[in-house]
């Protein structure tokens, strides 16, 4: 539920970043090359299911869903930082690290802007 006009903008930005992170996770599964000897379905489910479980709350603008999104994104950010370090700055992990940082930040900004009015 959106509590004011500004929250609509932060919700849209968060939704855009959410979809961009999902697309990046999908692309990095196949590029530069899939991991040999591991099921693609298994890799995609481990990568995507935790975030896909939050699709309804994110697109409804539910504050509790955004809190859970922030918790989940921390793990993706940590993994991307480690991958960036180990790959010595390969583009995929660096892009994912940046996007997850932006998603986390935008989700928190949305939570700040979308506080219910008490009175």
């Amino acid at each position: 539920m959106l509590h004011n006009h500004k929250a609509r903008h932060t919700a849209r930005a968060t939704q855009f970043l959410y979809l961009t992170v999902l697309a990046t996770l999908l692309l990095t599964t196949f590029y530069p090359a899939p991991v040999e000897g591991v099921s693609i379905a298994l890799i995609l489910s481990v990568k995507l299911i935790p975030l896909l479980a939050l699709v309804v709350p994110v697109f409804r603008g539910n504050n509790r869903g955004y809190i859970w999104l922030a918790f989940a994104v921390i793990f993706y950010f940590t993994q991307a930082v480690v991958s960036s370090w180990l790959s010595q700055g390969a583009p995929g992990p660096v892009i994912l690290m940046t996007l997850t940082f932006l998603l986390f930040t935008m989700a928190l900004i949305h939570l700040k802007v979308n506080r219910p009015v008490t009175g």
Side-chain angles (χ1 to χ4, degrees), residues 13-14 18 31 34 42 55-56 59 72-74 76 82 84 86 92 99 104 113:
T14 305
Y18 172 78
Y31 181 80
L42 177 65
V55 71
V56 172
F59 281 94
V73 166
I74 288 171
Y76 288 91
V82 170
S84 296
L86 293 176
L99 288 173
F104 178 81
V113 169

Side-chain angles (χ1 to χ4, degrees), residues 33-55:
V35 178
E36 298 212 11
V38 181
S39 166
I40 296 293
L42 177 65
I43 292 173
L44 287 175
S45 29
V46 168
K47 281 183 162 185
L48 299 178
I49 286 177
L51 285 180
L52 288 175
L54 298 166
V55 71

